[in-house]
Coordinates of all heavy atoms in Angstrom, one line a residue:
E136 N 219.1 54.9 80.9 CA 218.6 56.0 80.2 C 217.3 55.6 79.5 O 216.3 56.5 79.4 CB 219.8 56.4 79.2 CG 220.8 57.0 79.9 CD 222.2 57.1 79.0 OE1 222.2 56.4 78.0 OE2 223.1 57.7 79.5
R137 N 217.3 54.4 79.0 CA 216.0 53.9 78.3 C 214.8 54.0 79.4 O 213.8 54.6 79.0 CB 216.2 52.5 77.9 CG 214.9 51.8 77.4 CD 215.1 50.3 77.5 NE 215.3 49.9 78.9 CZ 215.8 48.7 79.2 NH1 216.3 47.9 78.3 NH2 215.9 48.4 80.6
D138 N 215.1 53.5 80.6 CA 214.0 53.6 81.7 C 213.6 55.0 82.0 O 212.4 55.2 82.3 CB 214.5 52.7 82.8 CG 214.6 51.2 82.5 OD1 214.1 50.8 81.3 OD2 215.2 50.5 83.3
A139 N 214.7 55.9 82.2 CA 214.3 57.2 82.5 C 213.4 57.9 81.5 O 212.6 58.8 81.8 CB 215.6 58.0 82.7
C140 N 213.6 57.6 80.2 CA 212.9 58.1 79.1 C 211.5 57.6 78.9 O 210.6 58.2 78.3 CB 213.7 58.1 77.8 SG 213.4 59.3 76.6
R141 N 211.2 56.4 79.5 CA 210.1 55.7 79.3 C 208.7 56.4 79.4 O 207.8 56.3 78.7 CB 210.0 54.4 80.0 CG 208.7 53.5 79.9 CD 208.9 52.2 80.5 NE 209.9 51.3 80.0 CZ 210.7 50.5 80.8 NH1 210.6 50.4 82.0 NH2 211.7 49.8 80.1
P142 N 208.7 57.3 80.5 CA 207.3 58.0 80.9 C 206.9 58.8 79.7 O 205.7 59.0 79.5 CB 207.6 58.7 82.1 CG 208.7 58.0 82.8 CD 209.5 57.4 81.8
W143 N 207.8 59.3 78.9 CA 207.4 60.2 77.7 C 206.6 59.4 76.9 O 205.5 59.7 76.3 CB 208.5 60.8 77.0 CG 209.4 61.7 77.8 CD1 210.8 61.6 77.9 CD2 209.0 62.9 78.6 NE1 211.3 62.5 78.8 CE2 210.3 63.5 79.1 CE3 207.8 63.6 78.8 CZ2 210.2 64.5 79.8 CZ3 207.9 64.7 79.6 CH2 209.0 65.2 80.1
L144 N 207.0 58.1 76.5 CA 206.4 57.2 75.6 C 205.1 56.6 76.2 O 204.1 56.4 75.6 CB 207.3 56.1 75.2 CG 206.7 55.1 74.2 CD1 206.1 55.7 73.0 CD2 207.9 54.1 73.7
V145 N 205.1 56.3 77.5 CA 203.9 55.9 78.2 C 202.7 56.9 78.0 O 201.7 56.6 77.6 CB 204.2 55.7 79.7 CG1 202.9 55.4 80.4 CG2 205.1 54.4 79.9
R146 N 203.1 58.2 78.4 CA 202.0 59.2 78.2 C 201.6 59.4 76.7 O 200.4 59.6 76.5 CB 202.5 60.4 78.7 CG 201.4 61.6 78.7 CD 200.3 61.2 79.6 NE 199.3 62.2 79.6 CZ 197.9 61.9 79.7 NH1 197.5 60.8 79.7 NH2 197.1 63.0 79.7
E147 N 202.6 59.3 75.8 CA 202.2 59.3 74.3 C 201.1 58.3 73.9 O 200.2 58.5 73.3 CB 203.4 59.2 73.6 CG 203.2 59.5 72.1 CD 204.2 60.6 71.5 OE1 205.2 60.7 72.0 OE2 203.7 61.2 70.6
L148 N 201.4 57.0 74.5 CA 200.5 55.9 74.1 C 199.1 56.2 74.7 O 198.1 55.8 74.2 CB 201.1 54.6 74.5 CG 202.4 54.1 73.8 CD1 203.1 52.9 74.5 CD2 201.8 53.6 72.4
E149 N 199.2 56.7 75.9 CA 197.8 57.0 76.6 C 197.1 58.0 75.8 O 195.9 57.9 75.6 CB 198.1 57.5 78.0 CG 198.6 56.5 79.0 CD 199.1 57.0 80.4 OE1 199.2 58.3 80.5 OE2 199.2 56.3 81.3
L150 N 197.8 59.1 75.4 CA 197.1 60.1 74.6 C 196.6 59.6 73.2 O 195.6 60.0 72.7 CB 198.0 61.3 74.4 CG 198.3 62.1 75.7 CD1 199.4 63.0 75.4 CD2 197.1 62.8 76.2
L151 N 197.4 58.5 72.6 CA 197.0 58.0 71.4 C 195.9 56.9 71.4 O 195.4 56.5 70.4 CB 198.2 57.5 70.7 CG 199.2 58.5 69.9 CD1 200.5 57.7 69.6 CD2 198.6 59.1 68.8
R152 N 195.6 56.5 72.6 CA 194.6 55.3 72.8 C 193.4 55.4 71.9 O 193.0 54.4 71.3 CB 194.3 55.2 74.2 CG 193.4 54.0 74.5 CD 193.0 53.9 76.0 NE 194.0 53.5 76.8 CZ 194.3 52.2 77.0 NH1 193.5 51.2 76.3 NH2 195.3 51.8 77.8
P153 N 192.7 56.6 71.8 CA 191.5 56.6 71.0 C 191.6 56.2 69.5 O 190.7 55.8 68.9 CB 191.0 58.0 71.3 CG 191.6 58.4 72.5 CD 192.9 57.9 72.5
T154 N 192.8 56.5 69.0 CA 192.9 56.3 67.6 C 194.0 55.2 67.2 O 193.9 54.8 66.0 CB 193.4 57.7 66.9 OG1 194.6 58.2 67.5 CG2 192.3 58.7 67.2
L155 N 194.9 54.9 67.9 CA 196.0 54.1 67.5 C 195.6 52.6 67.3 O 194.8 52.0 68.1 CB 197.0 54.1 68.7 CG 198.4 53.3 68.5 CD1 199.1 53.9 67.3 CD2 199.2 53.2 69.7
R156 N 196.0 52.2 66.1 CA 195.6 50.8 65.6 C 196.8 49.9 65.3 O 196.7 48.8 65.3 CB 194.7 51.0 64.3 CG 193.4 51.7 64.5 CD 192.5 51.0 65.5 NE 191.3 51.7 65.7 CZ 191.0 52.5 66.7 NH1 192.0 52.8 67.7 NH2 189.9 53.2 67.0
A157 N 197.9 50.5 65.0 CA 199.2 49.7 64.6 C 200.4 50.4 65.1 O 200.5 51.6 65.0 CB 199.2 49.5 63.1
I158 N 201.4 49.6 65.5 CA 202.7 50.1 65.8 C 203.8 49.4 65.1 O 203.8 48.1 65.1 CB 203.0 50.0 67.4 CG1 201.8 50.6 68.1 CG2 204.4 50.5 67.7 CD1 202.1 50.4 69.8
V159 N 204.6 50.1 64.4 CA 205.8 49.5 63.7 C 207.0 49.9 64.5 O 207.3 50.9 64.8 CB 206.0 50.1 62.2 CG1 207.2 49.5 61.6 CG2 204.7 49.8 61.4
V160 N 207.7 48.7 64.9 CA 208.9 48.9 65.8 C 210.1 48.7 65.0 O 210.3 47.5 64.4 CB 208.9 47.9 66.9 CG1 209.9 48.1 67.8 CG2 207.5 48.0 67.6
L161 N 211.0 49.6 64.9 CA 212.2 49.5 64.0 C 213.3 49.1 64.8 O 214.0 49.9 65.5 CB 212.4 50.9 63.4 CG 211.4 51.5 62.5 CD1 211.4 53.0 62.2 CD2 211.2 50.7 61.2
G162 N 213.7 47.9 64.8 CA 214.9 47.4 65.5 C 214.6 46.7 66.8 O 213.6 46.9 67.5
G163 N 215.5 45.9 67.2 CA 215.4 45.1 68.4 C 215.4 45.9 69.7 O 214.8 45.5 70.6
F164 N 216.1 46.9 69.8 CA 216.3 47.7 71.0 C 214.8 48.3 71.2 O 214.3 48.3 72.3 CB 217.3 48.9 70.9 CG 217.4 49.7 72.2 CD1 218.3 49.4 73.2 CD2 216.5 50.7 72.4 CE1 218.4 50.1 74.3 CE2 216.6 51.5 73.6 CZ 217.5 51.3 74.5

């Protein structure tokens, strides 16, 4: 399920590329 959902986040990161400077990750998963 994690892998099936991954493309949504991949595309989000691509769209955020021009502005994204920091990522805070909440938890080990």
Side-chain angles (χ1 to χ4, degrees):
E136 291 161 349
R137 174 202 62 201
D138 293 347
C140 209
R141 181 176 293 147
W143 302 125
L144 180 52
V145 170
R146 184 60 180 146
E147 187 129 27
L148 288 167
E149 291 173 344
L150 292 168
L151 282 170
R152 178 185 288 276
T154 59
L155 184 61
R156 298 294 178 266
I158 302 174
V159 175
V160 186
L161 299 166
F164 181 97

